[in-house]
Amino acid sequence: MNKELISDIQGICLIILFISGSTLALPTGIAAGRDLWLAILLALVLAIPLYLIYSRLLSLYHGKDIFGILEAVFGKFFGKAVGLIFVVYAFHLGTLVLRDQGDYLVAISLPETPIIIPTIIVVILCTLVVKAGIEVLGRWSKLFVILNAPIPTIMILMLIPQMDICNIMPILYKGTKPFLKGTLQALSFPFGDVVVFLMVFFALKSKKSSYNVFIKGLLWGGFLIIGVSLAEILVLGEDLYAATYFPNHSAASKVSIGDLLQRLEVIVIVATLTSFFVKISICLLAVCNGISKILGCREYRFIVAPIALLMCNFSYFIHDNIIMKTKWVDSIGIYYFLPLQVGIPILILIAAEIKQRRIKNNTRRVNRK
């Protein structure tokens, strides 16, 4: 596993797809109302120092993932205990995304199909690609980006005649409190979800790769989300946007250029499903890698299928429907996710910096003697 390597461009593509995975389908920063695009922009700015923290951790211990870093900093027992928290988080996130993918596909394309059918199909595909390794997933991500970056951009341009600038005016109409809540929502989902990459980026080529991958992936993925969200709110308006669980599909359905270009939602569906696929695969890889490291196993591939089936089972029962899931995320989502995405990594970095300084000081003393 440690022999696997991915290039910087593959890592960037993975982060772009991971960030846009659920966000192309589901709204984020919804508490900000018509200012959600501005809330996402502020969340992107706040995510830059957060991603620098992630990059610093990986550069301090190049070639190790978060589980190896935790053992090096806190020792085996406490390191594995904290690592277990990350494993549970990745499993829960993967389960939520898997359920989102099922709800999305059933709601817009297969209303008579039981949700478990598309879920099982996606789980099988994710199992195959995770068993193949992160290198294969990185190669596929380069192909999928071709679908996920240009297609939303083209759709935005086609929707320009349908846009109404009054839908975002006046700015900060509801005040700063809803805007700040929307910013925290956007910071948690999708930008904070990238903490999962600390569990799988054991295969970067150099120490500086982490900075390049995280920041460029954030900027490309973030501006893509801002553009799509702004276009959706301009086309649908605040009320319709808030009442729609999948605004990208509703906005895409309004594309109409004469009799030539109409009903292009299927293209958006394909782009969205590929992002879902990458995000679920990354979460599955993170869980399997974490469990293997905690248990002291050399290989993670032997548990991919059981963990994938467990995620499939949990996704079916985790929420009764998309309404309940949305209420849960809106009520306690940021309080549950942000400490894991922001607080714990900061504490780990502080401890890692102290550890590194002590090692350097001890080395200097030995050299002087």
Side-chain angles (χ1 to χ4, degrees), residues 121-144:
I121 294 173
V122 172
V123 164
I124 292 173
L125 294 175
C126 292
T127 300
L128 293 174
V129 76
V130 171
K131 278 193 170 185
I134 193 172
E135 285 186 0
V136 174
L137 186 57
R139 295 190 195 105
W140 275 108
S141 68
K142 291 178 66 176
L143 175 62
F144 290 153

PDB file of all heavy atoms in Angstrom, residues 121-144:
ATOM      1  N   ILE A 121     -25.674  -1.048  -6.433  1.00  0.00           N
ATOM      2  CA  ILE A 121     -24.873  -0.925  -7.661  1.00  0.00           C
ATOM      3  C   ILE A 121     -23.671  -0.010  -7.427  1.00  0.00           C
ATOM      4  O   ILE A 121     -22.535  -0.329  -7.793  1.00  0.00           O
ATOM      5  CB  ILE A 121     -25.739  -0.408  -8.815  1.00  0.00           C
ATOM      6  CG1 ILE A 121     -26.799  -1.445  -9.179  1.00  0.00           C
ATOM      7  CG2 ILE A 121     -24.874  -0.089 -10.036  1.00  0.00           C
ATOM      8  CD1 ILE A 121     -27.807  -0.966 -10.199  1.00  0.00           C
ATOM      9  N   VAL A 122     -23.907   1.132  -6.787  1.00  0.00           N
ATOM     10  CA  VAL A 122     -22.810   2.069  -6.511  1.00  0.00           C
ATOM     11  C   VAL A 122     -21.806   1.457  -5.536  1.00  0.00           C
ATOM     12  O   VAL A 122     -20.588   1.625  -5.699  1.00  0.00           O
ATOM     13  CB  VAL A 122     -23.371   3.394  -5.951  1.00  0.00           C
ATOM     14  CG1 VAL A 122     -22.247   4.297  -5.466  1.00  0.00           C
ATOM     15  CG2 VAL A 122     -24.182   4.114  -7.020  1.00  0.00           C
ATOM     16  N   VAL A 123     -22.292   0.734  -4.546  1.00  0.00           N
ATOM     17  CA  VAL A 123     -21.398   0.093  -3.572  1.00  0.00           C
ATOM     18  C   VAL A 123     -20.493  -0.921  -4.257  1.00  0.00           C
ATOM     19  O   VAL A 123     -19.294  -1.008  -3.952  1.00  0.00           O
ATOM     20  CB  VAL A 123     -22.230  -0.568  -2.447  1.00  0.00           C
ATOM     21  CG1 VAL A 123     -21.381  -1.563  -1.663  1.00  0.00           C
ATOM     22  CG2 VAL A 123     -22.771   0.495  -1.508  1.00  0.00           C
ATOM     23  N   ILE A 124     -21.029  -1.684  -5.189  1.00  0.00           N
ATOM     24  CA  ILE A 124     -20.211  -2.663  -5.912  1.00  0.00           C
ATOM     25  C   ILE A 124     -19.113  -1.959  -6.709  1.00  0.00           C
ATOM     26  O   ILE A 124     -17.942  -2.374  -6.693  1.00  0.00           O
ATOM     27  CB  ILE A 124     -21.102  -3.514  -6.841  1.00  0.00           C
ATOM     28  CG1 ILE A 124     -22.023  -4.406  -6.016  1.00  0.00           C
ATOM     29  CG2 ILE A 124     -20.240  -4.370  -7.774  1.00  0.00           C
ATOM     30  CD1 ILE A 124     -23.042  -5.159  -6.842  1.00  0.00           C
ATOM     31  N   LEU A 125     -19.474  -0.881  -7.401  1.00  0.00           N
ATOM     32  CA  LEU A 125     -18.482  -0.137  -8.183  1.00  0.00           C
ATOM     33  C   LEU A 125     -17.412   0.476  -7.280  1.00  0.00           C
ATOM     34  O   LEU A 125     -16.213   0.438  -7.600  1.00  0.00           O
ATOM     35  CB  LEU A 125     -19.180   0.953  -8.997  1.00  0.00           C
ATOM     36  CG  LEU A 125     -20.141   0.483 -10.097  1.00  0.00           C
ATOM     37  CD1 LEU A 125     -20.860   1.665 -10.734  1.00  0.00           C
ATOM     38  CD2 LEU A 125     -19.376  -0.303 -11.153  1.00  0.00           C
ATOM     39  N   CYS A 126     -17.826   1.043  -6.162  1.00  0.00           N
ATOM     40  CA  CYS A 126     -16.872   1.638  -5.225  1.00  0.00           C
ATOM     41  C   CYS A 126     -15.943   0.580  -4.638  1.00  0.00           C
ATOM     42  O   CYS A 126     -14.748   0.824  -4.455  1.00  0.00           O
ATOM     43  CB  CYS A 126     -17.614   2.366  -4.105  1.00  0.00           C
ATOM     44  SG  CYS A 126     -18.501   3.851  -4.639  1.00  0.00           S
ATOM     45  N   THR A 127     -16.482  -0.586  -4.355  1.00  0.00           N
ATOM     46  CA  THR A 127     -15.673  -1.685  -3.827  1.00  0.00           C
ATOM     47  C   THR A 127     -14.587  -2.085  -4.814  1.00  0.00           C
ATOM     48  O   THR A 127     -13.419  -2.272  -4.441  1.00  0.00           O
ATOM     49  CB  THR A 127     -16.557  -2.905  -3.516  1.00  0.00           C
ATOM     50  OG1 THR A 127     -17.547  -2.535  -2.551  1.00  0.00           O
ATOM     51  CG2 THR A 127     -15.726  -4.049  -2.963  1.00  0.00           C
ATOM     52  N   LEU A 128     -14.936  -2.180  -6.072  1.00  0.00           N
ATOM     53  CA  LEU A 128     -13.969  -2.570  -7.101  1.00  0.00           C
ATOM     54  C   LEU A 128     -12.846  -1.540  -7.244  1.00  0.00           C
ATOM     55  O   LEU A 128     -11.670  -1.897  -7.329  1.00  0.00           O
ATOM     56  CB  LEU A 128     -14.687  -2.756  -8.447  1.00  0.00           C
ATOM     57  CG  LEU A 128     -15.671  -3.932  -8.524  1.00  0.00           C
ATOM     58  CD1 LEU A 128     -16.414  -3.916  -9.854  1.00  0.00           C
ATOM     59  CD2 LEU A 128     -14.940  -5.253  -8.340  1.00  0.00           C
ATOM     60  N   VAL A 129     -13.204  -0.257  -7.239  1.00  0.00           N
ATOM     61  CA  VAL A 129     -12.175   0.762  -7.456  1.00  0.00           C
ATOM     62  C   VAL A 129     -11.293   0.929  -6.219  1.00  0.00           C
ATOM     63  O   VAL A 129     -10.086   1.176  -6.334  1.00  0.00           O
ATOM     64  CB  VAL A 129     -12.819   2.104  -7.869  1.00  0.00           C
ATOM     65  CG1 VAL A 129     -13.459   2.815  -6.685  1.00  0.00           C
ATOM     66  CG2 VAL A 129     -11.793   3.017  -8.524  1.00  0.00           C
ATOM     67  N   VAL A 130     -11.864   0.775  -5.026  1.00  0.00           N
ATOM     68  CA  VAL A 130     -11.048   0.884  -3.809  1.00  0.00           C
ATOM     69  C   VAL A 130     -10.098  -0.300  -3.692  1.00  0.00           C
ATOM     70  O   VAL A 130      -8.942  -0.143  -3.279  1.00  0.00           O
ATOM     71  CB  VAL A 130     -11.956   0.988  -2.558  1.00  0.00           C
ATOM     72  CG1 VAL A 130     -11.137   0.884  -1.279  1.00  0.00           C
ATOM     73  CG2 VAL A 130     -12.719   2.304  -2.585  1.00  0.00           C
ATOM     74  N   LYS A 131     -10.552  -1.474  -4.074  1.00  0.00           N
ATOM     75  CA  LYS A 131      -9.657  -2.635  -4.080  1.00  0.00           C
ATOM     76  C   LYS A 131      -8.519  -2.446  -5.076  1.00  0.00           C
ATOM     77  O   LYS A 131      -7.408  -2.944  -4.865  1.00  0.00           O
ATOM     78  CB  LYS A 131     -10.450  -3.899  -4.414  1.00  0.00           C
ATOM     79  CG  LYS A 131     -11.176  -4.504  -3.225  1.00  0.00           C
ATOM     80  CD  LYS A 131     -11.662  -5.910  -3.543  1.00  0.00           C
ATOM     81  CE  LYS A 131     -12.173  -6.599  -2.290  1.00  0.00           C
ATOM     82  NZ  LYS A 131     -12.539  -8.014  -2.535  1.00  0.00           N
ATOM     83  N   ALA A 132      -8.788  -1.741  -6.170  1.00  0.00           N
ATOM     84  CA  ALA A 132      -7.744  -1.485  -7.164  1.00  0.00           C
ATOM     85  C   ALA A 132      -6.701  -0.510  -6.642  1.00  0.00           C
ATOM     86  O   ALA A 132      -5.563  -0.519  -7.125  1.00  0.00           O
ATOM     87  CB  ALA A 132      -8.373  -0.958  -8.452  1.00  0.00           C
ATOM     88  N   GLY A 133      -7.063   0.338  -5.670  1.00  0.00           N
ATOM     89  CA  GLY A 133      -6.092   1.240  -5.055  1.00  0.00           C
ATOM     90  C   GLY A 133      -6.308   2.694  -5.415  1.00  0.00           C
ATOM     91  O   GLY A 133      -7.045   3.030  -6.349  1.00  0.00           O
ATOM     92  N   ILE A 134      -5.649   3.557  -4.671  1.00  0.00           N
ATOM     93  CA  ILE A 134      -5.825   4.992  -4.860  1.00  0.00           C
ATOM     94  C   ILE A 134      -5.239   5.474  -6.181  1.00  0.00           C
ATOM     95  O   ILE A 134      -5.662   6.486  -6.733  1.00  0.00           O
ATOM     96  CB  ILE A 134      -5.212   5.774  -3.678  1.00  0.00           C
ATOM     97  CG1 ILE A 134      -5.673   7.244  -3.716  1.00  0.00           C
ATOM     98  CG2 ILE A 134      -3.698   5.664  -3.684  1.00  0.00           C
ATOM     99  CD1 ILE A 134      -5.285   8.040  -2.501  1.00  0.00           C
ATOM    100  N   GLU A 135      -4.257   4.757  -6.726  1.00  0.00           N
ATOM    101  CA  GLU A 135      -3.704   5.130  -8.023  1.00  0.00           C
ATOM    102  C   GLU A 135      -4.760   5.035  -9.114  1.00  0.00           C
ATOM    103  O   GLU A 135      -4.887   5.925  -9.954  1.00  0.00           O
ATOM    104  CB  GLU A 135      -2.512   4.240  -8.373  1.00  0.00           C
ATOM    105  CG  GLU A 135      -1.242   4.559  -7.605  1.00  0.00           C
ATOM    106  CD  GLU A 135      -0.056   3.751  -8.102  1.00  0.00           C
ATOM    107  OE1 GLU A 135      -0.230   2.948  -9.036  1.00  0.00           O
ATOM    108  OE2 GLU A 135       1.043   3.932  -7.568  1.00  0.00           O
ATOM    109  N   VAL A 136      -5.516   3.954  -9.112  1.00  0.00           N
ATOM    110  CA  VAL A 136      -6.576   3.766 -10.106  1.00  0.00           C
ATOM    111  C   VAL A 136      -7.665   4.818  -9.919  1.00  0.00           C
ATOM    112  O   VAL A 136      -8.163   5.397 -10.899  1.00  0.00           O
ATOM    113  CB  VAL A 136      -7.163   2.350  -9.998  1.00  0.00           C
ATOM    114  CG1 VAL A 136      -8.359   2.183 -10.930  1.00  0.00           C
ATOM    115  CG2 VAL A 136      -6.093   1.316 -10.312  1.00  0.00           C
ATOM    116  N   LEU A 137      -8.023   5.094  -8.674  1.00  0.00           N
ATOM    117  CA  LEU A 137      -9.026   6.115  -8.399  1.00  0.00           C
ATOM    118  C   LEU A 137      -8.547   7.481  -8.864  1.00  0.00           C
ATOM    119  O   LEU A 137      -9.321   8.286  -9.385  1.00  0.00           O
ATOM    120  CB  LEU A 137      -9.348   6.141  -6.907  1.00  0.00           C
ATOM    121  CG  LEU A 137     -10.487   7.074  -6.457  1.00  0.00           C
ATOM    122  CD1 LEU A 137     -11.783   6.740  -7.183  1.00  0.00           C
ATOM    123  CD2 LEU A 137     -10.683   6.976  -4.947  1.00  0.00           C
ATOM    124  N   GLY A 138      -7.248   7.748  -8.687  1.00  0.00           N
ATOM    125  CA  GLY A 138      -6.681   9.005  -9.154  1.00  0.00           C
ATOM    126  C   GLY A 138      -6.744   9.140 -10.663  1.00  0.00           C
ATOM    127  O   GLY A 138      -7.040  10.222 -11.190  1.00  0.00           O
ATOM    128  N   ARG A 139      -6.492   8.047 -11.382  1.00  0.00           N
ATOM    129  CA  ARG A 139      -6.576   8.093 -12.843  1.00  0.00           C
ATOM    130  C   ARG A 139      -8.004   8.329 -13.316  1.00  0.00           C
ATOM    131  O   ARG A 139      -8.252   9.096 -14.255  1.00  0.00           O
ATOM    132  CB  ARG A 139      -6.029   6.794 -13.438  1.00  0.00           C
ATOM    133  CG  ARG A 139      -4.551   6.569 -13.181  1.00  0.00           C
ATOM    134  CD  ARG A 139      -4.023   5.401 -14.010  1.00  0.00           C
ATOM    135  NE  ARG A 139      -2.720   4.961 -13.512  1.00  0.00           N
ATOM    136  CZ  ARG A 139      -2.524   3.862 -12.809  1.00  0.00           C
ATOM    137  NH1 ARG A 139      -3.548   3.067 -12.537  1.00  0.00           N
ATOM    138  NH2 ARG A 139      -1.324   3.531 -12.398  1.00  0.00           N
ATOM    139  N   TRP A 140      -8.957   7.647 -12.673  1.00  0.00           N
ATOM    140  CA  TRP A 140     -10.360   7.859 -13.029  1.00  0.00           C
ATOM    141  C   TRP A 140     -10.795   9.297 -12.748  1.00  0.00           C
ATOM    142  O   TRP A 140     -11.614   9.863 -13.479  1.00  0.00           O
ATOM    143  CB  TRP A 140     -11.242   6.886 -12.261  1.00  0.00           C
ATOM    144  CG  TRP A 140     -11.383   5.554 -12.909  1.00  0.00           C
ATOM    145  CD1 TRP A 140     -10.845   4.369 -12.502  1.00  0.00           C
ATOM    146  CD2 TRP A 140     -12.112   5.243 -14.099  1.00  0.00           C
ATOM    147  NE1 TRP A 140     -11.181   3.348 -13.354  1.00  0.00           N
ATOM    148  CE2 TRP A 140     -11.969   3.855 -14.352  1.00  0.00           C
ATOM    149  CE3 TRP A 140     -12.879   6.011 -14.985  1.00  0.00           C
ATOM    150  CZ2 TRP A 140     -12.560   3.234 -15.445  1.00  0.00           C
ATOM    151  CZ3 TRP A 140     -13.466   5.386 -16.077  1.00  0.00           C
ATOM    152  CH2 TRP A 140     -13.302   4.024 -16.292  1.00  0.00           C
ATOM    153  N   SER A 141     -10.264   9.878 -11.679  1.00  0.00           N
ATOM    154  CA  SER A 141     -10.654  11.246 -11.322  1.00  0.00           C
ATOM    155  C   SER A 141     -10.273  12.241 -12.408  1.00  0.00           C
ATOM    156  O   SER A 141     -10.993  13.219 -12.651  1.00  0.00           O
ATOM    157  CB  SER A 141     -10.025  11.649  -9.989  1.00  0.00           C
ATOM    158  OG  SER A 141      -8.617  11.784 -10.101  1.00  0.00           O
ATOM    159  N   LYS A 142      -9.143  12.011 -13.073  1.00  0.00           N
ATOM    160  CA  LYS A 142      -8.732  12.904 -14.166  1.00  0.00           C
ATOM    161  C   LYS A 142      -9.746  12.859 -15.305  1.00  0.00           C
ATOM    162  O   LYS A 142     -10.008  13.875 -15.957  1.00  0.00           O
ATOM    163  CB  LYS A 142      -7.345  12.514 -14.679  1.00  0.00           C
ATOM    164  CG  LYS A 142      -6.221  12.783 -13.686  1.00  0.00           C
ATOM    165  CD  LYS A 142      -4.882  12.335 -14.231  1.00  0.00           C
ATOM    166  CE  LYS A 142      -4.457  13.153 -15.428  1.00  0.00           C
ATOM    167  NZ  LYS A 142      -3.102  12.777 -15.890  1.00  0.00           N
ATOM    168  N   LEU A 143     -10.317  11.686 -15.540  1.00  0.00           N
ATOM    169  CA  LEU A 143     -11.341  11.568 -16.571  1.00  0.00           C
ATOM    170  C   LEU A 143     -12.652  12.215 -16.133  1.00  0.00           C
ATOM    171  O   LEU A 143     -13.300  12.937 -16.906  1.00  0.00           O
ATOM    172  CB  LEU A 143     -11.565  10.093 -16.900  1.00  0.00           C
ATOM    173  CG  LEU A 143     -12.704   9.771 -17.885  1.00  0.00           C
ATOM    174  CD1 LEU A 143     -12.429  10.398 -19.243  1.00  0.00           C
ATOM    175  CD2 LEU A 143     -12.895   8.265 -18.012  1.00  0.00           C
ATOM    176  N   PHE A 144     -13.035  11.978 -14.882  1.00  0.00           N
ATOM    177  CA  PHE A 144     -14.313  12.500 -14.401  1.00  0.00           C
ATOM    178  C   PHE A 144     -14.326  14.023 -14.326  1.00  0.00           C
ATOM    179  O   PHE A 144     -15.385  14.646 -14.478  1.00  0.00           O
ATOM    180  CB  PHE A 144     -14.639  11.918 -13.025  1.00  0.00           C
ATOM    181  CG  PHE A 144     -14.986  10.449 -13.064  1.00  0.00           C
ATOM    182  CD1 PHE A 144     -14.772   9.642 -11.952  1.00  0.00           C
ATOM    183  CD2 PHE A 144     -15.521   9.872 -14.194  1.00  0.00           C
ATOM    184  CE1 PHE A 144     -15.094   8.294 -11.975  1.00  0.00           C
ATOM    185  CE2 PHE A 144     -15.839   8.523 -14.238  1.00  0.00           C
ATOM    186  CZ  PHE A 144     -15.622   7.737 -13.128  1.00  0.00           C
TER     187      PHE A 144
END
